[in-house]
Structures are given as C-alpha cells and as structure tokens.
C-alpha cells in the first residue's frame, strides 16, 4: 500500500498490530463502518492463505524469534548484565512467535481489577469476551498422545508428589492441578491474532493495514490527540485521525506516550522533551512473572524416547503445566510449574523445569534514553525488589516443589543431576542465593499504562482505556492491566480488545 494513502480521513488509527491491536482493528472494522487504519512497525505478510509467512513464525513447535524488537534491559537495577526481552515485531506481535499456551487466569484476577475501581472488569463481565477470544484463536485442548515423553513424565511425577491431574487448566475457580495446557494451535500452526482477527476482514474497504510503520509520537492540541508522527518507507509523516489507540505493548505504548510529552514531567524535561501532559504513572509499575529454572540432562531412556517422538514430526516446547500454592499464597494460586525440552549446539537433549511466581509484588519501569524513536529503552523489570522479600519466598517454595517433582517417579529415573547445583538437592537455606544467581523470566510484561479510576496516581487510563485528562487518545494492550493475571498475557490482551472495541468503536 502507498504510505501516503494513510493520511486520508481516518476515524480510528490503531498504533501496533500485536495481539490487542490486531484484535481491536479486526473487530471494529467488522462491526462498524468506521475508517480504520492499523499501523504496524514490523512486516505484514498478508493472510495465512497467501503462503508468504515465514515458516518459523507458523511452526508452533518452537519460538519464532526472527522478527524481534531487540528490547533489552536489566532484571533489576543492581543486576550485573542486560538480557534480551524478546517481543514480536511483525503483524500479530508476540502472538506470532510465542509458545501458544492459551491460559485465561483465575476469577480473582479480574474481580480484583474491579475492586481497584475498574467497574465492568470483574470475571463475570470479562468471561463472555474470553469466550469470543477462545473461538477466534482456535484454542483447543491437546490430546494425551500429543504430550512428549518428558511432558508426560512431568505430569505423572507432579501427581506422585501430590498435585492432582486436571483436564481443564482454564477452570477460573481451580487452584491446583497439572496437565496439558490449552493451546492456540491449529494443525501445527501457531494461530496468531492476525490470522484470527484480521484475515476475515482484510477485504473490507474500511480497513487499511500498513506494515513497516514506526510511530514516534502523538500530537496533542488543546487536550486532544489529533495525529501521530510515523516513519514509513523512510519518510516522516503526520497522520491525523479522529481517535488514536496505542497498542504497542508494555514497552512500546509507554515509550510513545513519553516521546509525546505525556508522563513524569521531570523525567521528560531531563531528556529535552517538553512535558505536554504530566502523568506520573506512564512507564511505571512494570510487572512480569519471575521464574527459577532448573536444568538437567536426561538418562538414555528419556533421550531415546524423545528421539523417537521427535521422529513423528511433533515435538512442542510448551504444553505441560502445573499450578499450585506457595506458603505465602493469599488467594487462588501463585505458582506455575512448567517444562521445556531443547537440544544444545551438539545435538544433546537438555531439560528445563521452572517454577514461576504468578502473583508478583515487585515492579519495575520503562523509561526513555532519548527522544529518538530508534534509541534503546531503559527497561528495568525490578524483579525481587519488593521490600518484604515475598517474591523471593514464593520462588523458594516453588523451587522446593519442583525438586519434589523431580525426585518423584517417573522423573526420578529419567533425569540426571541439576546441571548447576550438582547431585545434592538445593537446601532451603541456599535457595535465595541460587534464585538470585539463576533468575529467569516469563516474557509477560504488563501494567506500564495501568488502568485505574481518577485519583489513582499510578493510573494512566480509565476503565474505558482513555488516557486520563485527554480526549481522543486510548491505550489497548497488556500495558493497561491494573495487575498481572495468573496466566500468560496473550488471551487476556485479546480479551481487553474485545471488551474495549464497543467503547472505542463508538464515534461521536
């Protein structure tokens, strides 16, 4: 498409074609006659049936990381090294490269959102939207025969250690269990948000999708968003619109707001950005699930079984999942237990078992390093920084639970020693040091433009997604979660789009 065509009359301009942006654009284009333009910084390879999508972005067995934003940062401010925080730079966003676990979370996640002052976001209100997401993303329950030998052994060992086998890990009231997680996989294809929401409406005259469009900032006039500045095909364009929605994700959406002069005034001034609309919560409260991974080599029996299974053509990284409660759990559950299996550079199997804190109390931040939209962001996840060390205690319990599972049959007979700790189990007294040294992440960033009522100093948007104090500007993605749910963020991000489409799509 000719980039200049984007500057014609636009009712709704959506910035970011990830899970939420793709869903929002598709729903509003389908259900209204509004002129919708979707800008995506990465490429648009067209519909699934067009045959242009790269193979690694379709193959649900592995993470497809060839189309990445290149974000990097620190796990916490005192952590010695930076690490990559991969996010998909492609239509569909991270739904085009993720592990395809399709979890919803627990009822209490959303009831708590409502208790924080976000009316209409309790479980009973969001459940119908989740039903629509599940259908659109073709979520299904894997058959037992699809589980790899390692995944099956994990589920059986979890049962032997006291965690019951469950068939539905998306039961909104369930708190303990292990099994095969629901997935958005259709005949081996990662069914991303672009396929689910955009392909059915691509031919509608009221929808335009423009790939390769990097949005710098939003232009405000008299307290209203009136246009964005975007770089398309090497040209800087001003694109006016009646309403603008940021859907750039937990890193991208706050960055655009900050470059627009919307955020903490002192922080912006220090970078030479004039504070146009001071809003202290922008980029704050970054929240993600923190994990502690354990790494093992397998014994010959397991490696041979994995070789044989791989020969069938189906060997997914992610499927087996457990949930349970730590000693610090206040409600629902606060631990996820999961597995990954990989080959190293020499072709040898190694096995990854991790415990994740699903109710983290620590928060980080996303800040600018420059007003240049190409400059790297300063991302600090702030893991394990809560003042009472609650997150560390939860992970210590998770480490203990996972070691109990590993010591249970059949895993006990299939795995060797933990590759870093050796033959002896990690003692409770040694757990904090081990966790701090080997901290892992779940790649579920959220909450940097959090939703909350007027008067909440940490809130950036109201319960309709509108940026506080401004007209015509909305945020619709995982950044607006008030708190992080006990699940990965793909389906919840699409749910937010399903919920907000009726509000944002009402013009006038």
């Amino acid at each position: 498409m000719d980039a200049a065509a984007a500057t014609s009359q636009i009712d709704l301009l959506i910035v970011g074609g990830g899970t939420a942006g793709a869903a929002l654009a598709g729903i509003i284009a389908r259900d209204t006659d509004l002129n919708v333009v979707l800008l995506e910084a990465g490429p648009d390879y067209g519909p699934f049936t067009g045959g242009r999508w790269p193979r690694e972005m379709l193959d649900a067995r592995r993470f497809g990381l060839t189309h990445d934003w290149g974000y990097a940062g620190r796990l916490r401010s005192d952590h010695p090294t930076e690490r990559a925080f991969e996010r998909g730079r492609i239509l569909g966003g991270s739904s085009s490269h993720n592990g395809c676990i399709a979890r919803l979370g627990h009822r209490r996640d959303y009831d708590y959102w409502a208790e924080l002052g976000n009316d209409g976001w309790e479980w009973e209100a969001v459940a119908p939207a989740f039903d629509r997401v599940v259908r659109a993303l073709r979520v299904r329950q894997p058959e037992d025969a699809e589980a790899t030998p390692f995944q099956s052994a994990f589920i059986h060992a979890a049962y032997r250690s006291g965690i019951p086998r469950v068939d539905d890990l998306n039961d909104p009231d369930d708190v303990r269990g292990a099994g095969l997680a629901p997935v958005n996989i259709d005949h081996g294809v990662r069914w991303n948000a672009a396929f689910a929401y955009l392909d059915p409406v691509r031919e509608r005259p009221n929808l335009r999708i423009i790939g390769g469009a990097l949005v710098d900032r939003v232009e405000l006039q008299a307290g209203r968003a009136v246009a964005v500045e975007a770089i398309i095909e090497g040209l800087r364009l001003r694109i006016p619109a009646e309403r603008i929605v940021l859907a750039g994700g937990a890193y991208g959406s706050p960055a655009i707001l900050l470059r627009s002069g919307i955020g903490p005034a002192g922080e912006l001034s220090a970078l030479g950005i004039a504070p146009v609309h001071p809003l202290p919560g922008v980029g704050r409260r970054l929240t993600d699930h923190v994990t502690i991974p354990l790494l093992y080599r397998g014994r010959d029996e397991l490696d041979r079984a994995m070789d044989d299974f791989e020969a069938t053509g189906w060997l997914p990284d992610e499927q087996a999942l457990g949930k349970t409660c730590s000693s610090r759990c206040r409600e629902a559950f606060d631990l996820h237990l999961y597995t990954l299996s990989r080959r190293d550079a020499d072709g040898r199997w190694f096995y990854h078992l991790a415990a994740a804190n699903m109710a983290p109390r620590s928060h980080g931040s996303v800040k600018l390093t420059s007003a240049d939209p190409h400059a790297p962001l300063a991302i600090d996840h702030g893991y394990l920084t809560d003042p009472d060390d609650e997150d560390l205690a939860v992970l210590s319990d998770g480490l203990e639970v996972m070691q109990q599972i590993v010591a249970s049959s059949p895993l006990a007979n299939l795995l060797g020693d933990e590759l870093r700790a050796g033959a002896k189990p990690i003692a409770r007294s040694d757990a904090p040091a081990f966790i701090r040294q080997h901290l892992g992440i779940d790649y579920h960033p959220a909450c940097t433009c959090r939703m909350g009522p007027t008067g909440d100093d940490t809130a950036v948007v109201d319960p309709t997604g509108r940026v506080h104090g401004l007209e015509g500007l909305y945020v619709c993605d995982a950044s607006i979660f008030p708190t992080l749910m006990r699940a990965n963020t793909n389906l919840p991000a699409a749910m937010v789009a399903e919920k907000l489409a009726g509000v944002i799509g009402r013009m006038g």
Side-chain angles (χ1 to χ4, degrees), residues 327-354:
S327 61
R328 306 300 180 101
C329 189
R330 298 170 183 172
E331 60 183 7
F333 62 92
D334 61 357
L335 284 171
H336 261 180
L337 313 168
Y338 63 91
T339 68
L340 296 172
S341 55
R342 303 280 174 80
R343 290 187 186 271
D344 63 18
D346 297 323
R348 296 181 60 199
W349 288 107
F350 69 93
Y351 303 95
H352 173 130
L353 299 102

Short mmCIF file of all heavy atoms in Angstrom, two decimals, residues 327-354:
data_model
loop_
_atom_site.label_atom_id
_atom_site.label_comp_id
_atom_site.label_asym_id
_atom_site.label_seq_id
_atom_site.Cartn_x
_atom_site.Cartn_y
_atom_site.Cartn_z
N SER A 327 3.53 -21.19 50.36
CA SER A 327 3.13 -20.93 51.74
C SER A 327 2.71 -19.47 51.92
O SER A 327 2.08 -19.13 52.94
CB SER A 327 4.29 -21.25 52.68
OG SER A 327 5.42 -20.43 52.40
N ARG A 328 3.03 -18.59 50.95
CA ARG A 328 2.67 -17.18 51.03
C ARG A 328 1.42 -16.85 50.25
O ARG A 328 1.03 -15.69 50.18
CB ARG A 328 3.83 -16.32 50.51
CG ARG A 328 5.17 -16.58 51.17
CD ARG A 328 5.11 -16.32 52.66
NE ARG A 328 6.39 -16.54 53.30
CZ ARG A 328 7.24 -15.58 53.65
NH1 ARG A 328 6.94 -14.33 53.40
NH2 ARG A 328 8.36 -15.88 54.25
N CYS A 329 0.78 -17.85 49.69
CA CYS A 329 -0.37 -17.62 48.82
C CYS A 329 -1.54 -17.06 49.63
O CYS A 329 -1.92 -17.63 50.65
CB CYS A 329 -0.78 -18.92 48.14
SG CYS A 329 -2.02 -18.71 46.84
N ARG A 330 -2.10 -15.95 49.14
CA ARG A 330 -3.19 -15.30 49.84
C ARG A 330 -4.55 -15.68 49.27
O ARG A 330 -5.57 -15.61 49.96
CB ARG A 330 -3.00 -13.78 49.76
CG ARG A 330 -1.72 -13.31 50.45
CD ARG A 330 -1.43 -11.85 50.16
NE ARG A 330 -0.17 -11.43 50.74
CZ ARG A 330 0.42 -10.27 50.52
NH1 ARG A 330 -0.15 -9.40 49.71
NH2 ARG A 330 1.57 -9.96 51.09
N GLU A 331 -4.59 -16.04 48.02
CA GLU A 331 -5.83 -16.45 47.38
C GLU A 331 -5.49 -17.16 46.07
O GLU A 331 -4.39 -17.01 45.54
CB GLU A 331 -6.73 -15.25 47.09
CG GLU A 331 -6.10 -14.22 46.17
CD GLU A 331 -6.96 -13.00 45.97
OE1 GLU A 331 -8.00 -12.89 46.65
OE2 GLU A 331 -6.62 -12.17 45.12
N ALA A 332 -6.44 -17.94 45.57
CA ALA A 332 -6.25 -18.66 44.31
C ALA A 332 -4.96 -19.48 44.35
O ALA A 332 -4.80 -20.34 45.21
CB ALA A 332 -6.27 -17.69 43.13
N PHE A 333 -4.02 -19.23 43.44
CA PHE A 333 -2.73 -19.91 43.43
C PHE A 333 -1.67 -18.89 43.06
O PHE A 333 -1.97 -17.80 42.55
CB PHE A 333 -2.72 -21.08 42.43
CG PHE A 333 -2.94 -20.67 41.00
CD1 PHE A 333 -1.88 -20.38 40.16
CD2 PHE A 333 -4.23 -20.58 40.49
CE1 PHE A 333 -2.08 -19.99 38.85
CE2 PHE A 333 -4.45 -20.19 39.16
CZ PHE A 333 -3.36 -19.90 38.35
N ASP A 334 -0.42 -19.20 43.31
CA ASP A 334 0.63 -18.23 42.98
C ASP A 334 1.86 -18.87 42.36
O ASP A 334 2.88 -18.20 42.18
CB ASP A 334 1.04 -17.41 44.22
CG ASP A 334 1.58 -18.26 45.35
OD1 ASP A 334 1.60 -19.50 45.23
OD2 ASP A 334 1.98 -17.68 46.38
N LEU A 335 1.78 -20.15 41.97
CA LEU A 335 2.91 -20.81 41.33
C LEU A 335 2.45 -21.51 40.04
O LEU A 335 1.44 -22.21 40.03
CB LEU A 335 3.55 -21.85 42.25
CG LEU A 335 4.43 -21.33 43.38
CD1 LEU A 335 4.79 -22.46 44.33
CD2 LEU A 335 5.70 -20.68 42.83
N HIS A 336 3.21 -21.30 38.98
CA HIS A 336 3.13 -22.12 37.78
C HIS A 336 4.37 -23.00 37.73
O HIS A 336 5.47 -22.55 38.04
CB HIS A 336 3.09 -21.24 36.52
CG HIS A 336 1.72 -21.04 35.97
ND1 HIS A 336 1.50 -20.28 34.83
CD2 HIS A 336 0.50 -21.47 36.37
CE1 HIS A 336 0.20 -20.26 34.57
NE2 HIS A 336 -0.42 -20.97 35.50
N LEU A 337 4.20 -24.23 37.30
CA LEU A 337 5.29 -25.18 37.12
C LEU A 337 5.23 -25.65 35.67
O LEU A 337 4.17 -26.05 35.19
CB LEU A 337 5.11 -26.37 38.07
CG LEU A 337 4.79 -26.01 39.52
CD1 LEU A 337 4.35 -27.26 40.28
CD2 LEU A 337 5.98 -25.37 40.21
N TYR A 338 6.35 -25.58 34.97
CA TYR A 338 6.29 -25.93 33.55
C TYR A 338 7.62 -26.51 33.07
O TYR A 338 8.64 -26.46 33.78
CB TYR A 338 5.88 -24.74 32.70
CG TYR A 338 6.82 -23.56 32.72
CD1 TYR A 338 7.85 -23.45 31.80
CD2 TYR A 338 6.66 -22.54 33.65
CE1 TYR A 338 8.72 -22.36 31.80
CE2 TYR A 338 7.51 -21.44 33.67
CZ TYR A 338 8.55 -21.36 32.74
OH TYR A 338 9.40 -20.29 32.74
N THR A 339 7.60 -27.05 31.85
CA THR A 339 8.75 -27.75 31.29
C THR A 339 9.07 -27.23 29.90
O THR A 339 8.20 -26.74 29.18
CB THR A 339 8.46 -29.27 31.18
OG1 THR A 339 7.45 -29.47 30.19
CG2 THR A 339 8.00 -29.85 32.50
N LEU A 340 10.33 -27.35 29.53
CA LEU A 340 10.80 -27.14 28.16
C LEU A 340 11.85 -28.20 27.86
O LEU A 340 12.58 -28.62 28.76
CB LEU A 340 11.42 -25.76 27.98
CG LEU A 340 10.54 -24.52 28.16
CD1 LEU A 340 11.40 -23.26 28.14
CD2 LEU A 340 9.49 -24.46 27.08
N SER A 341 11.94 -28.59 26.62
CA SER A 341 12.99 -29.53 26.20
C SER A 341 13.66 -28.98 24.97
O SER A 341 13.00 -28.50 24.06
CB SER A 341 12.40 -30.91 25.92
OG SER A 341 11.35 -30.83 24.98
N ARG A 342 14.98 -29.01 24.96
CA ARG A 342 15.74 -28.45 23.84
C ARG A 342 16.94 -29.33 23.53
O ARG A 342 17.37 -30.14 24.35
CB ARG A 342 16.27 -27.06 24.20
CG ARG A 342 15.21 -26.05 24.61
CD ARG A 342 14.52 -25.46 23.40
NE ARG A 342 13.41 -24.60 23.79
CZ ARG A 342 13.52 -23.36 24.22
NH1 ARG A 342 14.72 -22.81 24.33
NH2 ARG A 342 12.46 -22.65 24.52
N ARG A 343 17.51 -29.12 22.35
CA ARG A 343 18.81 -29.69 22.03
C ARG A 343 19.86 -28.58 22.11
O ARG A 343 19.58 -27.44 21.73
CB ARG A 343 18.81 -30.29 20.63
CG ARG A 343 17.97 -31.56 20.48
CD ARG A 343 18.20 -32.15 19.10
NE ARG A 343 17.35 -33.28 18.84
CZ ARG A 343 17.65 -34.55 19.14
NH1 ARG A 343 18.80 -34.81 19.75
NH2 ARG A 343 16.82 -35.53 18.84
N ASP A 344 21.05 -28.91 22.58
CA ASP A 344 22.11 -27.93 22.61
C ASP A 344 22.83 -27.90 21.26
O ASP A 344 22.41 -28.57 20.29
CB ASP A 344 23.09 -28.19 23.77
CG ASP A 344 23.82 -29.53 23.65
OD1 ASP A 344 23.85 -30.11 22.54
OD2 ASP A 344 24.37 -30.00 24.66
N ALA A 345 23.91 -27.13 21.18
CA ALA A 345 24.62 -26.97 19.91
C ALA A 345 25.19 -28.27 19.40
O ALA A 345 25.44 -28.44 18.19
CB ALA A 345 25.72 -25.92 20.06
N ASP A 346 25.44 -29.21 20.32
CA ASP A 346 25.97 -30.52 19.93
C ASP A 346 24.88 -31.54 19.65
O ASP A 346 25.18 -32.71 19.39
CB ASP A 346 26.89 -31.05 21.04
CG ASP A 346 28.10 -30.15 21.27
OD1 ASP A 346 28.62 -29.62 20.27
OD2 ASP A 346 28.51 -29.98 22.43
N GLY A 347 23.63 -31.12 19.73
CA GLY A 347 22.53 -32.03 19.44
C GLY A 347 22.08 -32.84 20.63
O GLY A 347 21.20 -33.70 20.49
N ARG A 348 22.63 -32.59 21.82
CA ARG A 348 22.24 -33.35 23.02
C ARG A 348 21.02 -32.71 23.66
O ARG A 348 20.88 -31.49 23.69
CB ARG A 348 23.38 -33.39 24.03
CG ARG A 348 24.62 -34.12 23.56
CD ARG A 348 25.67 -34.11 24.67
NE ARG A 348 25.19 -34.76 25.88
CZ ARG A 348 25.71 -34.60 27.08
NH1 ARG A 348 26.73 -33.76 27.26
NH2 ARG A 348 25.22 -35.25 28.13
N TRP A 349 20.14 -33.54 24.19
CA TRP A 349 18.96 -33.05 24.88
C TRP A 349 19.35 -32.43 26.22
O TRP A 349 20.24 -32.92 26.91
CB TRP A 349 17.98 -34.19 25.15
CG TRP A 349 17.27 -34.70 23.93
CD1 TRP A 349 17.49 -35.87 23.29
CD2 TRP A 349 16.21 -34.05 23.24
NE1 TRP A 349 16.65 -36.00 22.21
CE2 TRP A 349 15.84 -34.89 22.16
CE3 TRP A 349 15.54 -32.84 23.41
CZ2 TRP A 349 14.83 -34.56 21.27
CZ3 TRP A 349 14.53 -32.51 22.52
CH2 TRP A 349 14.18 -33.36 21.46
N PHE A 350 18.66 -31.35 26.56
CA PHE A 350 18.65 -30.93 27.95
C PHE A 350 17.23 -30.51 28.29
O PHE A 350 16.43 -30.16 27.42
CB PHE A 350 19.67 -29.83 28.26
CG PHE A 350 19.39 -28.48 27.65
CD1 PHE A 350 18.68 -27.52 28.35
CD2 PHE A 350 19.85 -28.17 26.38
CE1 PHE A 350 18.43 -26.28 27.80
CE2 PHE A 350 19.60 -26.92 25.82
CZ PHE A 350 18.87 -25.98 26.54
N TYR A 351 16.93 -30.59 29.58
CA TYR A 351 15.55 -30.46 30.05
C TYR A 351 15.46 -29.36 31.08
O TYR A 351 16.26 -29.28 32.01
CB TYR A 351 15.07 -31.80 30.61
CG TYR A 351 15.18 -32.92 29.61
CD1 TYR A 351 16.30 -33.76 29.59
CD2 TYR A 351 14.20 -33.10 28.64
CE1 TYR A 351 16.42 -34.77 28.64
CE2 TYR A 351 14.31 -34.10 27.68
CZ TYR A 351 15.43 -34.93 27.69
OH TYR A 351 15.54 -35.91 26.75
N HIS A 352 14.46 -28.54 30.89
CA HIS A 352 14.28 -27.31 31.67
C HIS A 352 12.96 -27.45 32.42
O HIS A 352 11.91 -27.67 31.82
CB HIS A 352 14.25 -26.16 30.65
CG HIS A 352 13.91 -24.81 31.17
ND1 HIS A 352 14.67 -23.70 30.90
CD2 HIS A 352 12.87 -24.35 31.91
CE1 HIS A 352 14.12 -22.64 31.44
NE2 HIS A 352 13.03 -23.00 32.05
N LEU A 353 13.01 -27.34 33.75
CA LEU A 353 11.81 -27.31 34.58
C LEU A 353 11.85 -26.02 35.39
O LEU A 353 12.87 -25.70 36.00
CB LEU A 353 11.72 -28.51 35.52
CG LEU A 353 11.69 -29.88 34.84
CD1 LEU A 353 13.04 -30.55 34.91
CD2 LEU A 353 10.63 -30.77 35.50
N ALA A 354 10.75 -25.29 35.42
CA ALA A 354 10.77 -23.97 36.06
C ALA A 354 9.55 -23.78 36.94
O ALA A 354 8.46 -24.31 36.66
CB ALA A 354 10.84 -22.87 35.02
#
